[in-house]
Amino acid sequence: MNVLAICAHPDDMEVGCAGTLLKCVARGDKVTVCHVANGNLGHKIIEPDELRDMRRKEALNSGAIGGIEVLTCDIGDVMVYEGSKEQRDKVVDIIRKVKPDFIITHSPTDYMPDHVAVSRLVFDASFAASVLHYKTEVDGEADVTPIYYVDNLAGLNFTPTEYVDISDFMDKKIEMLECHVSQMKWMRDHDNIDFAEFVTTCSRYRGIQSGVKYAEAFTQCLAWPKVRAARLLP
């Protein structure tokens, strides 16, 4: 299968669904991750242009560890708008290029505007990508794509309907997360947050809920014709 995760920022994939994507790679899937935003405002000291380049390299390093292709729409942080046709078309192009069997993206109830906007952009673009005569830079069409929403940060306002056992992939998930040095070091040094511990704790909590050591949690977008009578998550 072709699997596409469309996230807001570099490191969002590692936080929410890296274990699931690693499990997809292990079963033989082709996995692609696209960051809609470039992460350029995610630091108080490093200037945006420099940080944009740093975060791109960090994302590529993480993807290399996981055997995952990493793409970007290169939109600035806090500049993602669900009503932007230009941005929607960028996502349409990604979907048409990858032709995924399913998409993972943010929940529409997540904690910050870029995440919520990406969720809506993906919902809209996944339909537009299936319309042959809707013209963007990438010609053709993609199937109407099932969508799975990844857990909200810290699990707030999110009731899972799907769980993926990531116990065998937890260490590599954290290794990939640690590639994002600009974020991890800043949070440890200045915010007194060990984000690796944060993510591990959330995965353990979802694991307790689902009877395994570590898990990632999802809900499915229940909109016709995005539902399939088969399990697509690994």
Side-chain angles (χ1 to χ4, degrees):
M1 285 197 293
N2 289 331
V3 180
L4 175 61
I6 303 179
C7 304
H9 311 100
D11 81 2
D12 286 336
M13 173 272 285
E14 289 81 356
V15 172
C17 61
T20 297
L21 297 183
L22 287 166
K23 201 166 185 178
C24 287
V25 171
R27 74 178 180 183
D29 296 346
K30 172 70 172 70
V31 177
T32 305
V33 171
C34 176
H35 306 115
V36 175
N38 57 29
N40 66 332
L41 301 185
H43 208 283
K44 292 186 178 181
I45 296 175
I46 302 172
E47 292 296 319
D49 287 347
E50 180 184 359
L51 185 61
R52 169 186 174 270
D53 293 341
M54 288 178 64
R55 298 201 69 184
R56 177 67 179 151
K57 291 175 183 176
E58 291 168 352
L60 290 171
N61 290 340
S62 172
I65 289 172
I68 294 168
E69 182 179 7
V70 179
L71 307 175
T72 181
C73 293
D74 200 21
I75 296 164
D77 282 5
V78 203
M79 294 294 291
V80 183
Y81 299 113
E82 63 186 71
S84 167
K85 181 180 183 301
E86 178 184 1
Q87 293 182 16
R88 184 183 68 188
D89 287 356
K90 286 179 180 285
V91 178
V92 168
D93 287 343
I94 294 293
I95 294 171
R96 284 177 168 170
K97 177 183 176 181
V98 175
K99 296 189 184 302
D101 293 288
F102 67 92
I103 295 173
I104 294 173
T105 194
H106 297 289
S107 164
T109 62
D110 208 354
Y111 82 109
M112 65 92 71
D114 284 346
H115 289 208
V116 174
V118 166
S119 182
R120 186 66 198 193
L121 281 172
V122 170
F123 181 88
D124 293 350
S126 68
F127 184 87
S130 74
V131 180
L132 179 61
H133 296 295
Y134 182 78
K135 297 301 183 183
T136 63
E137 291 187 6
V138 177
D139 291 333
E141 59 187 320
D143 291 340
V144 177
T145 310
I147 296 172
Y148 293 90
Y149 296 126
V150 74
D151 206 349
N152 289 347
L153 195 67
L156 289 173
N157 196 26
F158 191 90
T159 302
T161 57
E162 302 266 359
Y163 294 86
V164 176
D165 180 359
I166 63 163
S167 303
D168 292 340
F169 299 91
M170 191 66 209
D171 289 345
K172 186 170 281 190
K173 172 184 169 83
I174 297 301
E175 181 184 359
M176 292 169 67
L177 181 63
E178 291 285 6
C179 287
H180 297 273
V181 177
S182 65
Q183 305 304 292
M184 303 295 285
K185 187 175 188 305
W186 174 263
M187 284 188 284
R188 287 186 175 113
D189 292 349
H190 297 274
D191 297 334
N192 296 315
I193 297 173
D194 185 335
F195 203 52
E197 180 186 42
F198 180 108
V199 171
T200 300
T201 299
C202 292
S203 298
R204 180 68 186 117
Y205 175 63
R206 294 308 190 192
I208 290 169
Q209 290 180 333
S210 55
V212 298
K213 188 170 184 181
Y214 295 107
E216 289 170 345
F218 303 86
T219 60
Q220 187 173 5
C221 175
L222 297 178
W224 184 88
K226 297 181 184 296
V227 178
R228 298 289 184 269
R231 181 174 174 89
L232 300 177
L233 293 172

PDB file of all heavy atoms in Angstrom, residues 57-69:
ATOM      1  N   LYS A  57      16.267  19.824   7.416  1.00  0.00           N
ATOM      2  CA  LYS A  57      17.315  18.812   7.552  1.00  0.00           C
ATOM      3  C   LYS A  57      16.976  17.821   8.658  1.00  0.00           C
ATOM      4  O   LYS A  57      17.198  16.605   8.512  1.00  0.00           O
ATOM      5  CB  LYS A  57      18.665  19.479   7.829  1.00  0.00           C
ATOM      6  CG  LYS A  57      19.212  20.262   6.644  1.00  0.00           C
ATOM      7  CD  LYS A  57      20.488  20.993   6.994  1.00  0.00           C
ATOM      8  CE  LYS A  57      20.986  21.831   5.815  1.00  0.00           C
ATOM      9  NZ  LYS A  57      22.192  22.631   6.170  1.00  0.00           N
ATOM     10  N   GLU A  58      16.446  18.321   9.765  1.00  0.00           N
ATOM     11  CA  GLU A  58      16.053  17.429  10.854  1.00  0.00           C
ATOM     12  C   GLU A  58      14.978  16.443  10.396  1.00  0.00           C
ATOM     13  O   GLU A  58      15.037  15.253  10.716  1.00  0.00           O
ATOM     14  CB  GLU A  58      15.544  18.261  12.035  1.00  0.00           C
ATOM     15  CG  GLU A  58      16.623  19.073  12.734  1.00  0.00           C
ATOM     16  CD  GLU A  58      16.085  20.101  13.703  1.00  0.00           C
ATOM     17  OE1 GLU A  58      14.843  20.315  13.740  1.00  0.00           O
ATOM     18  OE2 GLU A  58      16.894  20.712  14.426  1.00  0.00           O
ATOM     19  N   ALA A  59      14.006  16.937   9.629  1.00  0.00           N
ATOM     20  CA  ALA A  59      12.938  16.068   9.138  1.00  0.00           C
ATOM     21  C   ALA A  59      13.483  15.011   8.184  1.00  0.00           C
ATOM     22  O   ALA A  59      13.072  13.846   8.225  1.00  0.00           O
ATOM     23  CB  ALA A  59      11.864  16.901   8.453  1.00  0.00           C
ATOM     24  N   LEU A  60      14.408  15.403   7.324  1.00  0.00           N
ATOM     25  CA  LEU A  60      15.004  14.445   6.386  1.00  0.00           C
ATOM     26  C   LEU A  60      15.822  13.393   7.138  1.00  0.00           C
ATOM     27  O   LEU A  60      15.804  12.210   6.773  1.00  0.00           O
ATOM     28  CB  LEU A  60      15.878  15.181   5.373  1.00  0.00           C
ATOM     29  CG  LEU A  60      15.112  16.040   4.357  1.00  0.00           C
ATOM     30  CD1 LEU A  60      16.090  16.894   3.548  1.00  0.00           C
ATOM     31  CD2 LEU A  60      14.252  15.182   3.433  1.00  0.00           C
ATOM     32  N   ASN A  61      16.533  13.810   8.177  1.00  0.00           N
ATOM     33  CA  ASN A  61      17.302  12.850   8.985  1.00  0.00           C
ATOM     34  C   ASN A  61      16.371  11.837   9.648  1.00  0.00           C
ATOM     35  O   ASN A  61      16.661  10.639   9.676  1.00  0.00           O
ATOM     36  CB  ASN A  61      18.112  13.584  10.056  1.00  0.00           C
ATOM     37  CG  ASN A  61      19.254  14.394   9.484  1.00  0.00           C
ATOM     38  OD1 ASN A  61      19.699  14.153   8.362  1.00  0.00           O
ATOM     39  ND2 ASN A  61      19.752  15.356  10.237  1.00  0.00           N
ATOM     40  N   SER A  62      15.261  12.321  10.170  1.00  0.00           N
ATOM     41  CA  SER A  62      14.283  11.424  10.797  1.00  0.00           C
ATOM     42  C   SER A  62      13.710  10.451   9.773  1.00  0.00           C
ATOM     43  O   SER A  62      13.595   9.249  10.028  1.00  0.00           O
ATOM     44  CB  SER A  62      13.156  12.245  11.433  1.00  0.00           C
ATOM     45  OG  SER A  62      12.122  11.418  11.882  1.00  0.00           O
ATOM     46  N   GLY A  63      13.338  10.977   8.614  1.00  0.00           N
ATOM     47  CA  GLY A  63      12.793  10.118   7.575  1.00  0.00           C
ATOM     48  C   GLY A  63      13.767   9.040   7.134  1.00  0.00           C
ATOM     49  O   GLY A  63      13.365   7.895   6.866  1.00  0.00           O
ATOM     50  N   ALA A  64      15.055   9.393   7.069  1.00  0.00           N
ATOM     51  CA  ALA A  64      16.065   8.413   6.664  1.00  0.00           C
ATOM     52  C   ALA A  64      16.141   7.259   7.652  1.00  0.00           C
ATOM     53  O   ALA A  64      16.319   6.096   7.262  1.00  0.00           O
ATOM     54  CB  ALA A  64      17.428   9.100   6.534  1.00  0.00           C
ATOM     55  N   ILE A  65      15.997   7.555   8.934  1.00  0.00           N
ATOM     56  CA  ILE A  65      16.011   6.501   9.953  1.00  0.00           C
ATOM     57  C   ILE A  65      14.834   5.548   9.746  1.00  0.00           C
ATOM     58  O   ILE A  65      14.966   4.331   9.869  1.00  0.00           O
ATOM     59  CB  ILE A  65      15.955   7.114  11.362  1.00  0.00           C
ATOM     60  CG1 ILE A  65      17.288   7.800  11.690  1.00  0.00           C
ATOM     61  CG2 ILE A  65      15.646   6.047  12.417  1.00  0.00           C
ATOM     62  CD1 ILE A  65      17.254   8.591  12.984  1.00  0.00           C
ATOM     63  N   GLY A  66      13.688   6.108   9.393  1.00  0.00           N
ATOM     64  CA  GLY A  66      12.470   5.302   9.283  1.00  0.00           C
ATOM     65  C   GLY A  66      12.203   4.708   7.918  1.00  0.00           C
ATOM     66  O   GLY A  66      11.254   3.945   7.761  1.00  0.00           O
ATOM     67  N   GLY A  67      13.020   5.062   6.907  1.00  0.00           N
ATOM     68  CA  GLY A  67      12.740   4.600   5.557  1.00  0.00           C
ATOM     69  C   GLY A  67      11.521   5.272   4.960  1.00  0.00           C
ATOM     70  O   GLY A  67      10.753   4.670   4.211  1.00  0.00           O
ATOM     71  N   ILE A  68      11.362   6.560   5.270  1.00  0.00           N
ATOM     72  CA  ILE A  68      10.178   7.331   4.905  1.00  0.00           C
ATOM     73  C   ILE A  68      10.589   8.506   4.033  1.00  0.00           C
ATOM     74  O   ILE A  68      11.530   9.237   4.361  1.00  0.00           O
ATOM     75  CB  ILE A  68       9.465   7.833   6.178  1.00  0.00           C
ATOM     76  CG1 ILE A  68       8.909   6.655   6.984  1.00  0.00           C
ATOM     77  CG2 ILE A  68       8.376   8.836   5.847  1.00  0.00           C
ATOM     78  CD1 ILE A  68       8.447   7.023   8.384  1.00  0.00           C
ATOM     79  N   GLU A  69       9.878   8.715   2.922  1.00  0.00           N
ATOM     80  CA  GLU A  69      10.109   9.888   2.088  1.00  0.00           C
ATOM     81  C   GLU A  69       9.471  11.108   2.754  1.00  0.00           C
ATOM     82  O   GLU A  69       8.343  11.035   3.240  1.00  0.00           O
ATOM     83  CB  GLU A  69       9.521   9.693   0.695  1.00  0.00           C
ATOM     84  CG  GLU A  69       9.785  10.877  -0.239  1.00  0.00           C
ATOM     85  CD  GLU A  69       9.226  10.698  -1.641  1.00  0.00           C
ATOM     86  OE1 GLU A  69       8.501   9.702  -1.861  1.00  0.00           O
ATOM     87  OE2 GLU A  69       9.495  11.558  -2.497  1.00  0.00           O
TER      88      GLU A  69
END
